[in-house]
Each structure stands twice: as structure tokens, then as C-alpha cells.
Amino acid sequence: MNMRWRILGIAFLGITILTIPVFSQLAPSLPRSETLIVDQLTGRTGAPDNFNEWVGWKWRDRGMQQLMNEPLWSIDFATGEIINGLAATLPEYNGDFTQVTIRLREGVYWSDGVPITADDVVFTIELIKSTPGMNYQAPLESNVNKAYAVDEHTVVIELKQPNSRFHTYFLDRWGCLWIMPKHVFKTVTDPLTFQFNPPVSSGPYVLHSYDPSGYWTVWERREDWDRTPTGILFGMPKPKYVVFRAYGDPASKVLGMLRHELDSADLTAEALKAVLAQGRTVRAYQPSFPWVVNSDPCITGLTFNTMKPPYDNPEVRWALVLAIDIVNYESIAVDGMAPVSPLHIPYLPGYAALFFEPMEEWLKEFTLDLGGGETFKPYDPEVPFKLAELARSRGYAVPETPEDIKTAFGPGWWKYAPDVAEKLLTKNGFYRDEAGRWHLPDGSLWKIRVLGRSDLSHLSTRNSIAAAQLWKEFGIAAEAVLSVDFSSLGLTGEFEVTTDWPAFEPWGAGPDLYRTLSPFHSENVAPLGETTPGHVSRWSSPVMDQLIDQLETTDPTNVGATAAVGIESLKVLIQDMPSIPTFNYTGFVAWDEYYWTNWPGIENPYAQPYVHWGPFKYMLPFLNPTGR
Amino acid sequence: MLKGGRLRFFRRYFLPRLAQYLLVTFIGINVAFFIPRLFPSDPVLETIGTIRSQGTYLDPATVDKFISDLRELYGLEGTIGEQYVDFWKRLFRGDFGISLFQFPEPVLSLIGKAIPWTVGLLLTSTFLSWLFGLVIGGIAGYYPNRLWVRALDAVSMLVRPLPYYIFAFILLIIFAYVVPWFPLGGGSSIGWRPELSFRFFADVIRHAFLPFISLTLLGTAAMYQMTKLVVQNINAEDFVQYAQLGGVKGRAIISKYVLRNAMLPLFTNLVLSLGQIFGGALITEIVFSYPGLGTLTYHAVVSGDYNLILGVTTISVVAVTTCIFLADLVYPLLDPRVRYR
Amino acid sequence: MKVIRDLFRDYRFVVSFLVLTVLVGLVVLSAFSPYDPSRWLQTPKDLPPSQEHLLGTDSKGQDVFWQATFAVRNSLLIAIIAAGLSRVIALLIGLVAGYRGGGWDKFFMFITDSFLVMPLFLFIVLLAMLLKDRLSLVTLGLLLGVFGWAWDARVIRSQVLSLREREFTKTAVLSGTKTLSLVVKEYIPHVTPIVFTTLINNMSWVIGMEITLAILGLLNMDIPTLGVMLQWAISYQAMLLGYWWWYLTPTVLAVLLFVALYWLSVSISEYLDPRTRIQRVGMG
């Protein structure tokens, strides 16, 4: 009996003692009102002591690409602008694109006081080019002949062959080749294992401290922030400290935000709903339904392995497109919150004028030949209104005007036409049995395994679940296979249908679709059994090859010509349909306005809204502290 | 006790067990070496996949070269035989190699960072829940009809089958959100560099409290039930009845007669639990964002990080076999009637 | 008959029997489900319990009640296969090793220790990844059964070691009782409480393991089990969105299942042990 009371007594005492110290999550030296806490998208950092992002994967969204490194140029896809960072102007190519001149911004210093000069750029290029194993070694080796400094702020790079897009290696769209501090790296014996700890910043923040287990990283504003491009262009970044935190799962992020311990979080559809319902100071990117960041420059969907029958037949692929009711598909995948896109590029504000509107007529007139003289026009511009109806039936407040509906839900998609799909399939020898199940021409039951990631919150997984459900309804024995080997299987071609990006995302701004199209070039396609360097669909076509070659020799600054080639290639992609783009990648971003306001929401898109990409540093001068 | 037969003990008992211990450890490590290589997760492709999906534009013209460069860097170029021999050579130098996915962190340093958290949390939790469960269960088994025993029975019965994730998450919601007494997660407060101070220590304890409670409550409930059953069984033995008739006090009976007889299976339980510590507590780490071996191991498995998997497995195997070995040595001390033919 | 009547005198047996009957009833009901458990959008989403949907609907557009019938069925299947297989193995090995000793003991303990030594969780995860396509319910049950016996075999063996040195064993051996009948008649009743406790431990371990594998994304999410159902509820933030019917159903069912099994095992093992039976039931 005594023991029991003793134990209870100790426990009670323990709890009382433990609740006395500091209540907040921050160490006493970090004042909350001057600290911005954001979540780390890629999760816990695996190599926390290592800040050398030029080798391998280093969880650089822990602040490295956003705060520590200033690239030569960045793209802000929300405004559609290219922002000059360490460079003062856009790159200057000579007439035949064999030489590029880069002029650096003046008055920019590393965080340890050394000025950033052309020597750093030349050193970076030469070191990487001569060290196999570094991320950009191979492209630099195959492209660069010579790099040299003309003066302190001018670099000239001579290329081995014409390449009008060489500078894009240095363009931070989603990561890029950053510039190394020569004075640090030149004394390093093995750059591959060098930890670069403590790191030297070119951006406006320096490393303050980090968790040895990788759960958080704290950055402190540089005293000489005005000697960085961010400071020069936009002013003083308002938060004195920025903390990147990794959480175990979305539910913890929600709880963190509700406790005002997290100011920005990238969640899932349901977690976003939960935090908006329960948080009084929480807002999303859009103030009302569908709340999501609909201007993300990535497109999600389904990708066929076009080297495996029957997916090598474009008519079979089209039949599978028409077997999908996109309204139900969206309901399953994201509860109707994402904008759809019929093209292999996302429906971005910048692309509406360049691609979607010029192609509207062509899309409406696009015809499939069903054989026997029958034709069918598959484009359905009514899809956004049907999606709006779905949202209304779920009780959400839906925008009213057609313009707003299209912005929220996309311009249109393909019709749900199972009867036409049937015609296309029977034309190619497929048939249904008495139970309604589809069989391949060789008689066996048609089974489709749709590969997805094992993480249920990832949009590729949601796509695979939705596709499997819809094709099941159509009568095909489809199942979603959620695998942890998603990447390996995709790269080696061991799949039939996967949910990897239907096309690589373009720059997010400007008419140049080279990044999207070049992976489809036949020289980048490997036979089955080998890892393929290009797009995992392993699709190519002579027409597309020609267009890509044409694009390579078109001057990217000639908007009209570049866009025209882009439009032709998008048409080819639609005709062949090697992959099915479904909906934009949607960011389920939530912001807590308890400590910081003036976030770049849809009504005020002064910068891109994500915290895990480089241009985050350009958002910081505009945030306002509430002073709590 | 064993004075005369000490040499005999050594030869007939200790040596065979030692041999067995070494052999089992060897087999465990071998399994850990070969099985991950059977899996489709290729660490190089996983790295490429992550780099590509998180931003670097891998120029299709040069990806192949990058892949072969990485293979060479990771030491995956030789045949399996060569890699095997190389592994054992390194092992004897105490070098577990370099983590493939978290390149170039050495495996030992990664494990070394995670171990203090895991061992700290799980060691205390396992030991305390064993102790509490033993004591409370012992008493309860002896007085099975008292009111408090029945109440405890009911509580432990309702608590045990709760899926651990739900139990942990409910604790988190109640004590870290509804009444925000404890932090939402992490091992220590943000921005606080580890230091040897009472305040820092208190901070660590505060962060560990909820995970600790979630594990200990469940562990105690389980141990309580098991002990109670075993004790009830022993209770019915004759010698207990004699002791009661002879007027020996309840407390003395419990500690001197009942518990000592119950020790053997319960002790086994403790030893094996302690061995399992090195597996980490994955769900605890996920719910409470707590650092430890569980998430380290899981990510190693998922990304096909052979070296890290091997490192963690080796340590785990060695820990468990050592615990079993020590347990075997202690058995005769606990129960002198145990003889070996 | 008398046995059953005596068993029923214990209120715990009665309650657990009733609960299990209800659960088995659910299992049987699953055959009559009007909804296909692997399909989405069969009903409107996220409706609270009503007359039409007894336990409401979830965010996938499925009826929670009918899902639960399948979940109980599948979880029970896995647990029975796994626990059954592992009990049989543990008992066999524990008894033989404990009693025979010598070479047999060394050999079996060697195998047991090899299994114990493997970081269980790691290998289950590795194997689940390898078998991911063929990870049907039966396979999962066998997989978990194969890994779940080592611990308990050792416990049983140590119990047997103790028993072997006791008075009644020596008596029995001296009086010429054969090994097999000694083991069966005398040891098994002593060992039974341990076996039953470990059976319950094992079944709750299996369900816990199944839930963990589901949370890690290693199970087939189309086949509803208690763990899979819970994982869907967790991923879709049922707790934070207030859809209590969705996450409470598998939780409460798991609790009920465990409680029923525990009471069942306790009352049966008390019955089997001659001394406690006399205490409870009387000499009649």
C-alpha cells in the first residue's frame, strides 16, 4: 500500500516540476515575435552536419536553397519573372550560342566578409567539372570548354557545342547550380566528403544552430544583409530568425499551427480543412474554397510505359483517357480541390495567354478517328463547371463567375465517354466477357497495376488510387500498387502505368518548354531493362524529335517563335497521349497570422507562396510582424 | 554454491553458450547483409529519384554517367563477394562504412547520434514498466479479489488493446494541445545547443515525458497482466498455502516465496525487452517527432541504404544476443534448481 | 456439457462469449454487404451515423458499418493464422527443448535465438516490401506467425525447466510415467496460463503489427482490416476533423476483441488448472 502512494506522489511531484520551465518550443535566446517558424517539406534532415549541397541530396530545403544560397538567377512562377540574384543582368549569348557572358552584381559579399567575384564562378565551374560524383559534373563536362574571368564581375564561358540554354543550370527554378566560395573550397582536399560546416552564405541569412538529429535548423539574419542581392533588391528581411522544422506527420503540423508554433505549413487536403476549421488566425492561399495554391508549376497525372504492350498503342491509351470521369477522379484524389489541365503543362496564369488560350480552338476541334468513318471530339470545356457542381454538393462555397470557376478548376478536360472508349478498344481486339470484364486481344484478363508512392499524402499516390478506381468501374481489373520502390521501378521501366510526372515541369515562366520536351527526345530513351535518362514513359516520335531540334535553335527571347514551337509539340503530345495529365500539383498551404501577416496569397501575389523553394528569401522582406 | 564445480560450470555451461552466442550473432549479421541486396530498392536510383523529384534538373544526356559515378562512389561496383569481404574487414576495424543515402555521413556517427535518445527513452521506459508491472502485478496476483485490483484489471484491459498510434496521439492531443503542458514534439527545444546544465536536462525530460508515458503505461499494463497470471498460478501451490497457514505475513510471502518463483519467466521477459530496445520505437518517433533509431532504420530500409541497414542490424543483433547470453548466465543464480544434463 | 455449464458460471466467460458471438456475427454479415469494400464513392462522404448508415460514412464514400464487418473478418483471419501458427511452434519447441535438454535443447535454442536476434521489425518490414504484391491476408498471417514464436518459446522453455525439477515430476518419472503422457497430462496445464497469456499478447501484437505496417504503407490498402481502416482514418485526419465514427469504430472493435479474448483465456485457463477450478466451481 505504501509503495503505491509513494509512486503516485513522485509522479505528481514530477509533473509539477516539469511544467515549471519555459512553455514555448523555442530556446530562451530566440524571441518568438522576431522568429518565423516554417515546416520542412522533405522531412527530417538525414545528414544534419553537412551543408555541402553540391554533392548528392542534402535536404537543402532546410534553409540552404532558401536562405543560405543566392543563385545567379531565380524564377518566380507566381509573377512570371526572372529575378537577377548574383548576376546583374540576364546572360548574354553570342550569335551561335557557343559563348555566354555573365555579368555579376556588384557590392555583394559572402557572409564572412569576402566579396563575391567572377573568380568564385570560374572556380565553381572548374572544380565541379573535374570532380566526378558531383551533381553537375556530367553536364558541365559535356558542355563547357573553358571558363574564365574577364574582370572582377564578368565571366565568359565557352561551350563545346551550341547550347542556348546552358545558363539554365544556374537558374533556380527548383534548385540549381549555386556558386561556391572559392576561398573556402580551394583548400579542401576531398570536395565530395567536405561538410562545409559552418557554411558561408551568399544569401541574407547565416546558420545559427541546428539539431544534430535533423529535426530543426535555425538561421539568423546577417548583419550585412544589405550586401546580398535580396537586401539590395527588396530590402531587409523582416524575421530576425527563421526556423525550419520537420514534423513526423501532417496531424502534428496541424497541432503545431493551432498552438501558434508553426507559421507556414504544407499539408494535405484533409489536414488543411482541419486547420482552417479549428484555427482562428489561420488562412490558406486562397481565402475561400478551393483554398489551394493553384499556380504550382507542376502537373500530376498518369504515365504509361509506352514500350510495354498494350500501352504502346496510342488508341488504347486514348481509350483509357475516355474511360475516366474526371469529376469522380478529382473527388477521390483531392475532394475536388485542384484545377485540371488537358495539356502537358500546368494551368498557370502565365501560361493561359501563351498556350491555353491560343490552343482553345484546336482543342475543341481535335478529333479522334474511331474507324469505319466515325470520329469523335473528346475535349470538354464544361468540366470546370461540373467540378464546381461537385464542390457545391459537398457544401463548399464555390465562386460564381465563369472566370473565377476556370481559375479555380481549370479550362477543361476530356469527356467521360466510356462508349467511345469501348469502340476504340474493340477496334483493337479487346473484348468484354459476360461478367463485363475486359480482356486483352490474346484472351487473358486485362489487369492494370497503377504504381504510386507509399505515402498517402503524396499526390502521385492519390492519382494512382483514383485511376485504379475509375478503370475498375470501367471493367478493367485495375489496382493501385503503392510501393516504396517507386523511384527505382520507374527508372528501370518495371511498371505498366505509373504516377510519376506526366511531363517534366517547365520553367514556370516564359514561353520556353525545352525542359518539358527534351526528355522525350529519342536519344534520351533507353530500351527496357536499362535505366532511362529521359522521361519514364520511354516515348518518342520523329515529329517530336524534329520539334525539339527546332526549339534548340530558336532564340528563347523570341517569345512568338518559341511559343509557336511549344504549341506544336503540345499538340503532338495530345495526339499520342504517352501520359495523361490530370490536375495541377496543388499546394495545401496554410499560414498562421498570429505572429506574421502579409503573406503572398492569391489576392496579393507579390511572390511565390512556398517556403521550400529558393524565392522564399524574396518573400521575407515583405512579411509584417504583428508584434505579439 | 558452485565452488567445487566452478571449472565444470565453466566448461559445460559457459563455453557452449559463448560459442552459441557468437554463432548466432554471425548468422544474424549475415542475414542482414544479404537480404537487403535482394530488394529492388537500389540506393543509387533512390538518390537519383529524390534529387530529381526535389528539384535538380538532371540533364537526360548525362544521367547515365552520373549514375555510374555514384555507384563507384558508394562502393557498389565490385561483386557481392568482394563487397562481403570488404564489409568484414571494415567491421573488425569498427568501421561500418558510409551511409549511402545520407552520403557522406559515416554510419557509426548517424547511429551514435540516435542511440542516446532511443536508449535513454526506451531503457528507462522498459525497465520502469517492468518494475512497476512486476510489483503491482505481484501484489495483485496475491490479493486478486480486492477492489483496487479489479479496478486495475479493468483499466489495464482497456488500455492494452488500444492501437498504440491512437493512444499516443490522444496523449499528444490532450497534454500538448488541449492543456498545453508538454511540447508537441522533438527531443529538445529549438535553437538550444546541447549543454550540460540543469535547465537543458529539464528541457529534455519535458520533451521525453509524453513518449515515455505512452510507452510505460502500455508496458506496465502488459507486465502487470502477465505477472498477475503467473503469480496467481504460483499462489495456488502448496508451499504458499503452508506459508499462509504458518502465519508468515502477506508481504513476506509475496517477496520471498511468490515473486522469486515467478522470476524466471518474468526475468526472461525483461531481458528480451531490453534487447529489443535497439529496434527503436518507430510509431513513438513518428507521433512525437522524437529522434531515435526507429526512423533511422525505417528510412534506411526504404531507401535501400545497405550500409546503414547493416550497421543498425549489427548493433541490434549484438545487443540482443548479449542480453540473452547474460540472461543465460544469470538463470542458475535465480533458480538453483535449474540443472543442465 | 458439464464443462460448459461450469464455464458459464464465470461472468467473464459469459461476457466474452457474448462479445465474440457479436463479432463473429459481424464477420458473417460481411457476406451480405451491399457495398463493395474496395470501391470508393459508394455513398456520400463524411456523413455522421444515421438510420441509413448505422455508423456513418467515411471520406472515401463508404459505409463505415459494412467496412467494419470486413475489417473484423480480415483482422481475425490474420490474427488466428498468425497466433495459431506461432503458438504451435512455440509450444512444440519450448516443451521439447525444456524437457529433453541436451542436444535437442541446444539445437532448438540455437534456432530460437537466431530468430530472437533478428531485429524483428526490420525483417518484417523488409519481407513485407519484398512480398508486397503477394501480401494477401493469409500470407501476412503466416509471415507474422513465423516471427512471433521465438520469445514465447523461450518463456515456455524456462517454465518447463522449472517444472522439470519439481517434486511431482520426479514422482512421476519414478513411478514410470511415459514422457509423452507426463508432458501432456502434467505440464500442459501448468504451461497453459502462459500459453494463453502469450496468445493474447500475440494476437494484440499481430494487430498492432498489422496497424504499424498499414501506417508505414506496406499493406494493401484496398483490403480492409482494422489496421488499414484506422490508417485511412488517420491519413484523412478523421480525428482532427471530428469524424469520430470513422476512427472510433476500428479502435473500439479492437478493444472489444482484445477484452473478449483476454477474459476468455483467463476463465478457460483458470478452469483448466485443477486447483483454481476447485476454488471457483467447488467440488461438485
Side-chain angles (χ1 to χ4, degrees):
Chain A
M1 298 312 134
N2 259 338
M3 181 120 58
R4 248 190 323 136
W5 289 119
R6 265 185 249 154
I7 295 172
L8 278 172
I10 293 175
F12 182 68
L13 210 60
I15 292 184
T16 326
I17 290 179
L18 291 170
T19 54
I20 290 178
V22 181
F23 270 104
S24 82
Q25 278 255 277
L26 293 179
S29 56
L30 298 180
R32 182 64 175 100
S33 58
E34 292 181 87
T35 310
L36 182 70
I37 308 182
V38 300
D39 72 330
Q40 186 172 338
L41 185 70
T42 53
R44 187 181 140 268
T45 309
D49 298 318
N50 197 311
F51 292 87
N52 180 351
E53 355 170 37
W54 291 273
V55 183
W57 168 246
K58 296 284 161 62
W59 288 266
R60 53 179 186 238
D61 67 328
R62 65 192 289 210
M64 292 199 265
Q65 67 183 11
Q66 304 103 310
L67 304 177
M68 178 180 126
N69 285 320
E70 193 90 50
L72 286 175
W73 305 276
S74 312
I75 284 202
D76 187 324
F77 61 88
T79 57
E81 283 173 18
I82 295 186
I83 299 176
N84 296 320
L86 291 177
T89 60
L90 288 177
E92 294 160 21
Y93 282 88
N94 65 355
D96 57 355
F97 299 108
T98 54
Q99 193 188 73
V100 60
T101 307
I102 303 176
R103 298 189 197 284
L104 296 178
R105 191 182 291 277
E106 301 187 18
V108 182
Y109 288 75
W110 295 101
S111 58
D112 57 358
V114 175
I116 301 182
T117 64
D119 283 342
D120 292 307
V121 179
V122 171
F123 175 81
T124 306
I125 294 179
E126 299 202 321
L127 179 66
I128 294 183
K129 188 172 152 203
S130 57
T131 315
M134 301 201 99
N135 292 357
Y136 282 91
Q137 191 270 339
L140 283 185
E141 186 186 30
S142 82
N143 275 288
V144 173
N145 200 357
K146 220 162 59 143
Y148 53 90
V150 168
D151 59 41
E152 264 208 6
H153 296 282
T154 315
V155 180
V156 172
I157 307 176
E158 283 175 20
L159 305 173
K160 288 182 180 165
Q161 60 265 352
N163 187 346
S164 57
R165 287 160 183 84
F166 174 73
H167 70 283
T168 57
Y169 291 124
F170 300 90
L171 174 66
D172 186 1
R173 154 62 190 83
W174 215 16
C176 68
L177 176 52
W178 289 278
I179 306 301
M180 296 169 161
K182 172 176 178 182
H183 61 284
V184 173
F185 274 84
K186 71 175 180 212
T187 55
V188 169
T189 38
D190 183 10
L192 292 173
T193 55
F194 177 53
Q195 294 211 331
F196 197 33
N197 184 355
V200 167
S201 304
S202 49
Y205 284 81
V206 284
L207 182 68
H208 172 271
S209 55
Y210 64 91
D211 177 23
S213 307
Y215 281 98
W216 48 262
T217 316
V218 182
W219 302 86
E220 184 177 352
R221 186 178 59 216
R222 272 166 68 169
E223 305 236 330
D224 60 339
W225 54 265
D226 50 347
R227 301 203 298 189
T228 67
T230 313
I232 295 174
L233 288 171
F234 298 105
M236 179 179 89
K238 298 280 176 45
K240 180 147 189 271
Y241 300 97
V242 179
V243 176
F244 286 86
R245 258 209 86 166
Y247 283 88
D249 64 343
S252 307
K253 290 190 200 181
V254 170
L255 289 179
M257 196 168 253
L258 293 174
R259 260 176 71 151
H260 305 303
E261 284 173 8
L262 186 60
D263 299 312
S264 165
D266 206 331
L267 303 165
T268 62
E270 302 75 34
L272 181 63
K273 280 195 276 189
V275 79
L276 287 175
Q278 305 216 16
R280 270 167 300 162
T281 48
V282 180
R283 61 158 293 180
Y285 177 74
Q286 301 184 45
S288 61
F289 185 87
W291 302 300
V292 298
V293 177
N294 59 351
S295 52
D296 190 300
C298 300
I299 184 85
T300 72
L302 305 157
T303 302
F304 293 105
N305 186 343
T306 57
M307 282 195 176
K308 273 201 186 169
Y311 309 102
D312 50 354
N313 183 341
E315 291 191 334
V316 172
R317 302 197 288 259
W318 260 107
L320 287 173
V321 174
L322 296 171
I324 293 180
D325 177 359
I326 191 70
V327 177
N328 278 348
Y329 189 94
E330 272 234 350
S331 173
I332 294 176
V334 284
D335 204 15
M337 290 204 234
V340 293
S341 172
L343 301 178
H344 284 70
I345 52 175
Y347 185 60
L348 287 183
Y351 289 153
L354 281 171
F355 297 106
F356 286 88
E357 278 154 32
M359 288 186 73
E360 181 94 11
E361 273 316 303
W362 182 87
L363 283 170
K364 286 186 184 152
E365 292 303 311
F366 173 68
T367 312
L368 288 171
D369 183 3
L370 306 178
E374 261 193 277
T375 61
F376 179 71
K377 293 192 181 156
Y379 186 64
D380 184 2
E382 296 299 306
V383 164
F385 303 98
K386 294 181 188 163
L387 287 171
E389 222 11 79
L390 169 72
R392 258 179 226 123
S393 71
R394 287 278 284 145
Y396 298 124
V398 177
E400 296 293 323
T401 67
E403 296 313 309
D404 289 338
I405 291 186
K406 282 203 177 172
T407 312
F409 298 110
W413 209 74
W414 309 108
K415 290 184 186 143
Y416 175 49
D419 45 336
V420 178
E422 239 181 274
K423 286 194 191 136
L424 278 172
L425 287 171
T426 42
K427 178 181 169 205
N428 282 284
F430 294 74
Y431 64 93
R432 277 197 205 254
D433 61 20
E434 320 83 46
R437 300 177 304 183
W438 279 98
H439 288 248
L440 295 168
D442 65 7
S444 56
L445 193 64
W446 192 6
K447 297 189 197 168
I448 303 185
R449 295 153 48 84
V450 188
L451 188 62
R453 291 174 200 274
S454 63
D455 177 7
L456 272 183
S457 42
H458 205 281
L459 284 176
S460 91
T461 316
R462 301 288 178 103
N463 265 291
S464 72
I465 295 175
Q469 286 291 319
L470 286 238
W471 285 334
K472 230 189 258 193
E473 208 174 294
F474 183 62
I476 306 175
E479 57 166 340
V481 175
L482 309 183
S483 168
V484 290
D485 303 321
F486 183 77
S487 300
S488 306
L489 291 174
L491 284 168
T492 51
E494 286 166 55
F495 67 92
E496 294 153 353
V497 182
T498 182
T499 48
D500 208 341
W501 313 111
F504 282 109
E505 71 298 336
W507 301 114
D512 187 7
L513 295 183
Y514 185 71
R515 233 174 92 130
T516 306
L517 301 173
S518 76
F520 290 116
H521 200 291
S522 54
E523 67 189 9
N524 292 322
V525 176
L528 279 181
E530 294 175 24
T531 20
T532 185
H535 193 256
V536 295
S537 67
R538 298 176 191 245
W539 173 85
S540 65
S541 91
V543 181
M544 183 57 100
D545 279 359
Q546 257 184 343
L547 288 167
I548 296 175
D549 292 335
Q550 192 184 344
L551 192 59
E552 270 179 11
T553 53
T554 311
D555 182 356
T557 56
N558 179 346
V559 174
T562 316
V565 180
I567 290 179
E568 289 309 306
S569 354
L570 289 173
K571 289 181 186 170
V572 174
L573 281 172
I574 290 181
Q575 280 155 352
D576 267 15
M577 203 52 90
S579 51
I580 309 178
T582 51
F583 51 86
N584 265 24
Y585 187 94
T586 38
F588 299 99
V589 172
W591 291 314
D592 184 20
E593 298 197 302
Y594 193 76
Y595 285 105
W596 297 93
T597 58
N598 198 30
W599 297 90
I602 197 176
E603 74 286 357
N604 183 16
Y606 62 82
Q608 58 89 48
Y610 289 118
V611 304
H612 61 271
W613 283 343
F616 174 50
K617 52 174 98 64
Y618 304 132
M619 191 203 296
L620 294 175
F622 297 95
L623 291 179
N624 292 330
T626 59
R628 286 200 180 95
Chain B
M1 208 175 35
L2 297 162
K3 280 197 185 92
R6 205 171 266 190
L7 191 59
R8 213 182 82 209
F9 169 76
F10 192 78
R11 235 185 324 123
R12 293 189 63 191
Y13 188 70
F14 181 79
L15 275 186
R17 287 213 133 30
L18 183 67
Q20 189 178 326
Y21 160 69
L22 290 173
L23 196 56
V24 167
T25 311
F26 181 73
I27 291 196
I29 297 180
N30 274 312
V31 171
F33 182 87
F34 286 107
I35 291 203
R37 284 173 162 81
L38 294 177
F39 288 86
S41 283
D42 179 329
V44 173
L45 291 183
E46 286 299 315
T47 307
I48 300 268
T50 308
I51 291 182
R52 204 186 229 177
S53 73
Q54 298 293 346
T56 308
Y57 172 56
L58 288 178
D59 196 340
T62 54
V63 162
D64 282 335
K65 178 160 192 307
F66 188 32
I67 290 181
S68 69
D69 282 343
L70 280 183
R71 275 201 204 288
E72 210 182 296
L73 198 58
Y74 287 0
L76 295 174
E77 281 295 312
T79 64
I80 283 220
E82 286 169 16
Q83 292 178 31
Y84 185 70
V85 168
D86 195 51
F87 163 70
W88 280 104
K89 275 199 277 191
R90 276 187 286 122
L91 188 60
F92 280 116
R93 279 180 310 193
D95 173 13
F96 282 100
I98 305 222
S99 160
L100 298 181
F101 192 65
Q102 291 152 206
F103 187 82
E105 292 275 322
V107 167
L108 213 50
S109 116
L110 283 172
I111 297 181
K113 276 191 248 178
I115 279 199
W117 299 103
T118 297
V119 169
L121 181 67
L122 292 186
L123 192 66
T124 18
S125 158
T126 308
F127 192 69
L128 283 182
S129 52
W130 184 82
L131 195 62
F132 289 159
L134 181 73
V135 166
I136 303 180
I139 304 177
Y142 191 67
Y143 301 113
N145 296 311
R146 298 276 180 94
L147 192 59
W148 63 269
V149 174
R150 289 179 188 229
L152 270 184
D153 274 349
V155 166
S156 74
M157 201 149 46
L158 288 177
V159 158
R160 275 205 58 205
L162 278 182
Y164 178 67
Y165 185 96
I166 297 266
F167 182 62
F169 195 63
I170 290 181
L171 271 182
L172 187 71
I173 291 189
I174 297 179
F175 292 105
Y177 176 59
V178 174
V179 258
W181 286 345
F182 292 99
L184 269 178
S188 56
S189 290
I190 298 178
W192 209 332
R193 302 186 178 107
E195 59 194 33
L196 274 177
S197 74
F198 178 70
R199 277 195 93 190
F200 183 71
F201 187 63
D203 186 57
V204 168
I205 302 257
R206 269 186 76 237
H207 281 81
F209 197 72
L210 284 183
F212 171 76
I213 284 284
S214 70
L215 289 167
T216 311
L217 277 180
L218 285 184
T220 310
M223 188 62 188
Y224 165 80
Q225 282 179 341
M226 187 184 197
T227 310
K228 181 158 171 287
L229 259 187
V230 170
V231 164
Q232 275 181 310
N233 205 33
I234 293 182
N235 228 8
E237 291 284 343
D238 298 334
F239 64 85
V240 175
Q241 314 282 3
Y242 290 155
Q244 282 172 329
L245 290 173
V248 183
K249 276 224 173 89
R251 248 215 194 135
I253 299 185
I254 293 176
S255 55
K256 290 214 181 85
Y257 294 91
V258 171
L259 278 184
R260 290 196 72 185
N261 273 287
M263 260 326 200
L264 214 52
L266 300 178
F267 182 72
T268 316
N269 198 313
L270 173 69
V271 164
L272 292 179
S273 308
L274 288 177
Q276 295 291 332
I277 284 180
F278 290 88
L282 185 53
I283 304 278
T284 315
E285 291 171 25
I286 290 180
V287 174
F288 297 102
S289 303
Y290 203 76
L293 282 178
T295 29
L296 191 71
T297 317
Y298 181 67
H299 284 293
V301 167
V302 159
S303 55
D305 191 341
Y306 303 146
N307 288 350
L308 188 52
I309 296 177
L310 257 182
V312 177
T313 314
T314 307
I315 292 193
S316 186
V317 161
V318 168
V320 174
T321 39
T322 313
C323 283
I324 294 181
F325 182 54
L326 290 176
D328 270 348
L329 288 184
V330 177
Y331 275 169
L333 294 174
L334 280 183
D335 191 347
R337 297 169 302 176
V338 169
R339 307 231 189 288
Y340 287 83
R341 289 190 202 151
Chain C
M1 257 359 272
K2 184 179 175 305
V3 172
I4 301 200
R5 236 187 320 132
D6 281 339
L7 282 172
F8 266 101
R9 288 200 203 183
D10 186 358
Y11 74 95
R12 293 172 301 185
F13 185 82
V14 173
V15 170
S16 66
F17 187 76
L18 281 177
V19 170
L20 281 176
T21 315
V22 166
L23 289 175
V24 170
L26 283 179
V27 171
V28 167
L29 267 183
S30 69
F32 302 102
S33 165
Y35 304 107
D36 180 339
S38 66
R39 301 289 301 277
W40 288 52
L41 302 183
Q42 310 245 292
T43 65
K45 294 186 190 175
D46 303 325
L47 295 177
S50 63
Q51 257 192 336
E52 209 190 313
H53 301 286
L54 282 175
L55 287 173
T57 63
D58 62 16
S59 299
K60 299 196 288 168
Q62 277 164 340
D63 183 308
V64 172
F65 175 74
W66 291 108
Q67 271 274 284
T69 59
F70 282 99
V72 172
R73 184 193 84 173
N74 295 333
S75 285
L76 269 180
L77 196 63
I78 299 175
I80 289 175
I81 295 180
L85 180 63
S86 65
R87 288 319 87 203
V88 165
I89 301 180
L91 201 59
L92 275 178
I93 292 192
L95 282 176
V96 172
Y99 190 73
R100 294 306 289 269
W104 284 104
D105 184 23
K106 288 205 179 63
F107 175 66
F108 277 123
M109 279 307 104
F110 179 70
I111 295 191
T112 309
D113 288 344
S114 303
F115 266 85
L116 271 177
V117 147
M118 315 301 178
L120 266 188
F121 183 64
L122 189 74
F123 285 110
I124 293 182
V125 167
L126 279 174
L127 281 172
M129 267 172 62
L130 185 64
L131 297 170
K132 61 184 176 304
D133 305 337
R134 284 149 284 188
L135 207 62
S136 67
L137 298 170
V138 174
T139 331
L140 183 62
L142 290 177
L143 175 67
L144 293 174
V146 157
F147 280 101
W149 59 265
W151 186 308
D152 302 318
R154 269 216 155 224
V155 172
I156 292 177
R157 168 183 170 271
S158 63
Q159 178 81 318
V160 171
L161 282 177
S162 269
L163 286 173
R164 207 177 63 192
E165 304 300 328
R166 303 259 214 104
E167 290 306 316
F168 69 85
T169 308
K170 299 198 162 67
T171 321
V173 169
L174 282 175
S175 62
T177 317
K178 276 196 157 145
T179 315
L180 195 60
S181 80
L182 170 69
V183 167
V184 170
K185 283 214 194 105
E186 302 292 336
Y187 283 3
I188 287 195
H190 281 281
V191 171
T192 308
I194 295 276
V195 171
F196 267 115
T197 330
T198 56
L199 178 81
I200 302 307
N201 286 357
N202 202 255
M203 285 188 82
S204 83
W205 176 79
V206 168
I207 298 196
M209 205 60 221
E210 187 242 302
I211 293 179
T212 309
L213 288 176
I215 290 182
L216 297 176
L218 293 168
L219 290 190
N220 186 339
M221 295 300 274
D222 277 341
I223 303 178
T225 66
L226 290 177
V228 167
M229 211 174 152
L230 198 58
Q231 167 61 351
W232 280 115
I234 289 171
S235 300
Y236 277 69
Q237 307 300 332
M239 262 189 271
L240 290 170
L241 285 169
Y243 302 147
W244 52 266
W245 52 94
W246 193 11
Y247 65 87
L248 277 186
T249 304
T251 313
V252 168
L253 283 173
V255 172
L256 281 179
L257 187 59
F258 180 80
V259 170
L261 287 170
Y262 180 68
W263 271 357
L264 194 70
S265 81
V266 163
S267 61
I268 289 185
S269 68
E270 273 189 13
Y271 184 79
L272 283 178
D273 192 345
R275 286 154 304 185
T276 47
R277 186 200 310 167
I278 291 177
Q279 280 175 5
R280 261 178 34 192
V281 177
M283 300 291 269

